[in-house]
Amino acid sequence: MWKYIVGRLVWIPFLLIAVAFITFILGRFGPGDPVEVMMGTKYNPVVAERIRSEMGLDKPVMVQFYKYIQSASKGDFGESFRFRGRSVSSLIAPKMIVSAKLSLVALLISISIGLPLGFYIAHKQGTWIDPLIVSFSVFFMSIPIMITIPFLLWIGCLKTNLVPCSGWGGIFDSRIIIPALAMGIPGVAGMLRIMRATTLDVLGQDYIRTAQSKGLHYFTVSTRHVFRNSIIPIVTILAFSLAGLLGGAFITETIMGIPGIGRFSVESIFNRDYPVIMAITLIGATAFVIANLMADISYSIIDPRIRYK
Amino acid sequence: MNKNITQSKGHFMTALSRLFRKKIAVVCIAILIIIYFSGIFAFLIAPYEYTAQDYSNIKKPPSIEHWMGTDRAGRDVFSRVLWGVQNTVIITFVAILTGSIFIGVGLGLISGYRGGRVDSLIMRIGEISSSFPDILLVIILAATLRPRILGFIRYLEDAYNINGLVKTGIVDYLVISLALVSFGWIGTARLMRAQVLSIKQNQYIDSAKSIGASTSRILFLHLMPNAISPLVVSITMGMGALVGTEIILSWLGLGVQPPRPSLGRMLLEGGSISVLREEPWLLIGPGIVVFLLIICWNLLGDSLSDVLNPRTR
C-alpha cells in the first residue's frame, strides 16, 4: 500500500511537467506574439526587442521552459502579459476564492438534493417512483447551463424581481442564488445515482437483514445502518464533482458577471495572456491529480478488499 | 441433434428487442433520427437560406411562414437551427468516430492485449491528457489551433489550386474535432483495456492462439465482439456530453464562425436579458432542439446500460 502511494507521488511531478510542457508549447506556437499583446497599439519594434530580451523570450523554447518550471515550482508564475507589473498569482488568487465559494454553494445544492433523494428512491426500487425520479434528474442534467441561466433569470429577475440580474456579493448575497442553482442542479443526477447505487448495495448486505430481524425499528436501521454505510463512497467523488463544476463555471461566470476564475481564464485565452493560462492549467491539473490520488487511497481505506500493487 | 430446438436469437438481437420494449428508448431513437436527418439534409428541408435577410420580417414571433420566428436581422430561426444542427452533428460524429472509436478502441485493444511497455506508455499518455482540466484543454486547443489550421488549409488551397476550401467551414470542423478528440479517446481506451484484460483470461482466447490464429483475428473476431456492450453504453452516454461541449465551444465563440450558424452562438444571442424581454423565441427554438439532442442521448444511454449491463438487469 505505502509503496503504491509513494510510487504515485513520485509520478505526480512528471505528470505536471508534461502538462506544463504541452500548455507551454501551445502558448508559444499559438497565435499572437506576447510582446505585441502587451504593447497593444503602442507597438514599437525597438522597444519590443528590448522587452523580449528582458523577458527571455528570445532564448530557445526549452531554456524558457526550464526557467519557467524552476520558478513555477516555487509558486512564482511570472508576470501577466495583459496586466503589466501584476504577478499572475496576485491576479488569480482572489478570483479563485470567488469561484471556490460559488462552487461550494453549488456542490452543497447538488448534495442536499441528490443524496436524500437517492437514498429515498433506493428504498423504492421496483415501484414507479424510482424510475420517475431518475428520469427527472436526467431531465435537469440535460438542460445546458446556457439555457438554465436565462430561464432562471427570466423567472427570478424579469418576472418577479426577486433577485438582481447579475453581479457578485459573496456567499450571503441574494445574487448567488441563480448561478449556484444553475451550476448545482445538473450535478444532482450524478449524486442521486451514486447514492442510489451504494444504498442498494448496502441494503443487500447481510448485516441489514440481521438488524431488521433482531427487531430494530425501521428508522433506526435506515439511519444507523444503511445511511452511514452508503454515504461513505460519496466522500470519494466529491473532489471530482468540484472539478466537474468547472465546465459550468466558464459560462455561468461570464453570463452573470461574476469575477471568478472561469470567466478570467476565458478572457485570458482570448487576450493571449499565456502566463495566466499556464498558471490556471497547472493549478487545475495539480488539484485534479491530487484529488485523484486521494480518491484512490480513500477507496482502499474504506473498502479493505481493494488492494493496490 | 434435435432440429426442433429453436435457435437462440444471439446477444445482439436479444439486446435490441429488449431495447425496443422500452418506450423511452424508442421515443429517443425516433427524436434523434428526426433531428439528425433534418440536420444532415438541412439544404433540402430548410425553408430559407441561413443568411437570407428579410427586412419586412424583423423580430417576428413564430408564425406559419417562420416556425421559430425571425431574428433581429430578419433571418428565419428555424432554418438557422437546422444548419446549426448540421454543424453540431458533423463535428460530434467526426469527434466520436476518430477519438472514441478509432483511436480510443484501437489503443485500448493494443494496450490491453500487448501489455508491458506499450501498455504503460499508452496509459501514461492517457494519464497526462486526463490530468488537464478537460474543458480548459479543449478551449485552449480550439483557441490556439485555429490560426495554424487556417494557415495549413490556405496553403493547400494555393498549392493545389482548390478554391473555396476555407469557405466550406472545414477549418472550424477540423479545429473543434481535434480539440474534442484530445481528451475523448481516454475514456474508451481505458474501458477497452479493462475489458480486454478480463476477456483475455478466457479459454477461447487460448484455444484460438493454439490453433494459430493471427493477432488481428484474435483482436477483432474474439476480443472486440465480447467487449462491445460496455463500449456501446459508454459511447452513447458520452454523446450527450460531447454535444454539450461542442455547444460550450461555439457559445464562447471558438466553434463554427459566423456567418455560418451554430447552436451555441444562437443560445448566446438568445440568452441576453434584452432579448429575453422582447424576443424570447430566439432562445426557445434553439434551446428546445439542443435540450432534446442532449436528453435523448442521455436517456438512450441509460436504457442501453439497463439492457446491456447484466449486473443491473
Side-chain angles (χ1 to χ4, degrees):
Chain A
M1 182 67 196
W2 282 109
K3 216 172 151 191
Y4 170 78
I5 295 175
V6 171
R8 285 279 295 268
L9 280 174
V10 170
W11 167 240
I12 285 178
F14 291 103
L15 206 62
L16 293 177
I17 288 176
V19 167
F21 186 67
I22 295 171
T23 327
F24 196 81
I25 292 295
L26 280 174
R28 281 295 174 271
F29 291 97
D33 177 33
V35 180
E36 268 173 53
V37 174
M38 246 154 94
M39 299 180 65
T41 48
K42 291 175 283 180
Y43 188 75
N44 178 341
V46 183
V47 184
E49 212 40 56
R50 209 188 63 225
I51 297 179
R52 255 189 211 113
S53 68
E54 261 175 29
M55 295 175 60
L57 286 171
D58 51 351
K59 300 216 174 65
V61 176
M62 289 313 290
V63 176
Q64 290 181 33
F65 180 66
Y66 179 70
K67 286 233 167 92
Y68 181 83
I69 288 295
Q70 255 186 341
S71 56
S73 59
K74 292 176 203 140
D76 172 20
F77 293 104
E79 197 180 288
S80 160
F81 285 170
R82 179 83 182 165
F83 305 93
R84 289 213 64 189
R86 299 275 315 264
S87 75
V88 171
S89 324
S90 76
L91 274 173
I92 59 178
K95 299 191 164 66
M96 286 209 151
I97 294 172
V98 169
S99 288
K101 282 180 186 164
L102 179 59
S103 312
L104 270 180
V105 177
L107 190 65
L108 227 70
I109 292 176
S110 315
I111 293 175
S112 54
I113 303 177
L115 294 196
L117 262 184
F119 185 68
Y120 172 71
I121 60 174
H123 288 82
K124 296 283 172 190
Q125 199 199 20
T127 65
W128 54 273
I129 297 174
D130 175 27
L132 184 82
I133 289 182
V134 170
S135 302
F136 256 106
S137 74
V138 176
F139 178 87
F140 283 113
M141 186 184 75
S142 302
I143 311 176
I145 201 153
M146 54 279 256
I147 299 176
T148 330
I149 294 178
F151 182 71
L152 288 174
L153 279 179
W154 187 71
I155 294 178
C157 165
L158 281 185
K159 290 287 153 188
T160 55
N161 248 325
L162 285 174
V163 284
C165 284
S166 70
W168 173 254
I171 292 186
F172 302 106
D173 187 282
S174 62
R175 284 175 286 187
I176 203 174
I177 296 174
I178 288 180
L181 271 180
M183 282 167 73
I185 289 175
V188 168
M191 292 283 168
L192 179 133
R193 256 166 222 241
I194 295 167
M195 190 62 190
R196 177 177 175 273
T198 55
T199 310
L200 280 177
D201 195 41
V202 173
L203 281 175
Q205 301 289 328
D206 285 339
Y207 59 80
I208 300 298
R209 200 182 309 136
T210 313
Q212 279 164 348
S213 58
K214 72 182 180 189
L216 285 181
H217 193 265
Y218 178 76
F219 184 75
T220 320
V221 176
S222 64
T223 48
R224 294 258 182 90
H225 296 77
V226 185
F227 190 74
R228 275 173 66 176
N229 282 297
S230 55
I231 196 95
I232 300 171
I234 304 289
V235 180
T236 57
I237 65 145
L238 286 183
F240 293 102
S241 314
L242 270 177
L245 286 170
L246 189 69
F250 286 112
I251 292 164
T252 316
E253 291 176 3
T254 309
I255 298 185
M256 301 299 297
I258 297 167
I261 203 74
R263 181 174 158 210
F264 190 57
S265 45
V266 173
E267 282 170 7
S268 306
I269 288 170
F270 282 115
N271 290 330
R272 319 254 174 259
D273 198 345
Y274 290 114
V276 172
I277 303 172
M278 290 276 309
I280 294 174
T281 317
L282 268 181
I283 294 171
T286 313
F288 189 71
V289 169
I290 290 174
N292 213 336
L293 178 63
M294 287 192 344
D296 282 352
I297 295 172
S298 50
Y299 274 137
S300 79
I301 292 172
I302 289 163
D303 188 347
R305 284 171 300 182
I306 299 171
R307 284 268 167 262
Y308 296 107
K309 306 178 270 186
Chain B
M1 273 273 253
N2 189 350
K3 277 189 181 170
N4 286 332
I5 293 173
T6 47
Q7 175 129 35
S8 92
K9 278 193 284 182
H11 181 63
F12 178 71
M13 288 313 283
T14 30
L16 208 63
S17 71
R18 230 182 266 134
L19 183 69
F20 280 123
R21 248 179 275 147
K22 284 183 176 279
K23 279 186 198 111
I24 287 184
V26 176
V27 173
C28 282
I29 291 174
I31 293 176
L32 283 176
I33 288 177
I34 293 172
I35 293 180
Y36 272 74
F37 264 84
S38 46
I40 292 166
F41 296 106
F43 59 94
L44 288 178
I45 299 171
Y48 302 87
E49 281 290 309
Y50 57 80
T51 48
Q53 299 181 338
D54 178 1
Y55 290 110
S56 58
N57 264 322
I58 289 175
K59 296 199 267 184
K60 284 277 152 61
S63 62
I64 298 181
E65 289 97 57
H66 301 282
W67 290 2
M68 292 180 184
T70 57
D71 65 5
R72 296 183 163 189
R75 296 174 297 192
D76 181 47
V77 177
F78 180 62
S79 309
R80 289 175 63 76
V81 166
L82 285 183
W83 286 99
V85 167
Q86 186 185 56
N87 290 330
T88 303
V89 164
I90 294 177
I91 290 163
T92 48
F93 247 98
V94 170
I96 209 108
L97 271 180
T98 52
S100 296
I101 298 180
F102 194 70
I103 303 177
V105 172
L107 289 182
L109 278 176
I110 295 170
S111 152
Y113 191 70
R114 275 286 148 83
R117 277 213 194 123
V118 186
D119 176 33
S120 33
L121 181 73
I122 293 175
M123 284 301 120
R124 288 307 190 201
I125 295 175
E127 211 174 318
I128 290 170
S129 36
S130 65
S131 53
F132 274 95
D134 50 13
I135 187 88
L136 196 62
L137 176 66
V138 174
I139 294 175
I140 294 174
L141 277 175
T144 51
L145 284 178
R146 184 182 304 280
R148 300 281 150 187
I149 291 182
L150 189 66
F152 175 67
I153 300 282
R154 287 247 163 83
Y155 162 78
L156 277 186
E157 271 188 345
D158 292 343
Y160 297 99
N161 257 329
I162 320 164
N163 280 325
L165 208 57
V166 173
K167 269 194 195 143
T168 57
I170 194 167
V171 178
D172 295 332
Y173 291 155
L174 274 177
V175 170
I176 307 162
S177 309
L178 269 176
L180 291 176
V181 162
S182 65
F183 78 99
W185 63 276
I186 309 154
T188 35
R190 284 194 182 143
L191 180 77
M192 212 53 197
R193 175 176 175 269
Q195 285 287 311
V196 169
L197 283 181
S198 78
I199 295 172
K200 214 164 69 166
Q201 311 291 332
N202 282 323
Q203 266 184 346
Y204 59 81
I205 302 293
D206 286 336
S207 59
K209 265 188 213 160
S210 69
I211 56 171
S214 66
T215 308
S216 64
R217 191 184 162 84
I218 294 177
L219 279 181
F220 293 108
L221 259 120
H222 298 285
L223 282 175
M224 265 283 271
N226 288 297
I228 208 115
S229 303
L231 189 74
V232 169
V233 173
S234 106
I235 284 180
T236 321
M237 287 189 152
M239 271 312 264
L242 199 66
V243 170
T245 313
E246 195 273 332
I247 284 163
I248 290 182
L249 276 184
S250 54
W251 192 90
L252 290 170
L254 292 167
V256 173
Q257 299 296 312
R260 295 177 71 82
S262 62
L263 291 173
R265 184 164 282 274
M266 298 180 80
L267 292 181
L268 171 72
E269 285 162 1
S272 74
I273 293 287
S274 65
V275 175
L276 271 181
R277 199 170 280 148
E278 285 158 23
E279 305 97 51
W281 58 88
L282 288 187
L283 183 69
I284 294 171
I288 288 177
V289 174
V290 168
F291 166 68
L292 281 178
L293 206 58
I294 296 177
I295 197 176
C296 283
W297 277 118
N298 285 342
L299 287 175
L300 187 62
D302 267 4
S303 313
L304 272 173
S305 101
D306 281 354
V307 167
L308 291 173
N309 195 344
R311 216 158 42 91
T312 55
R313 200 156 55 222

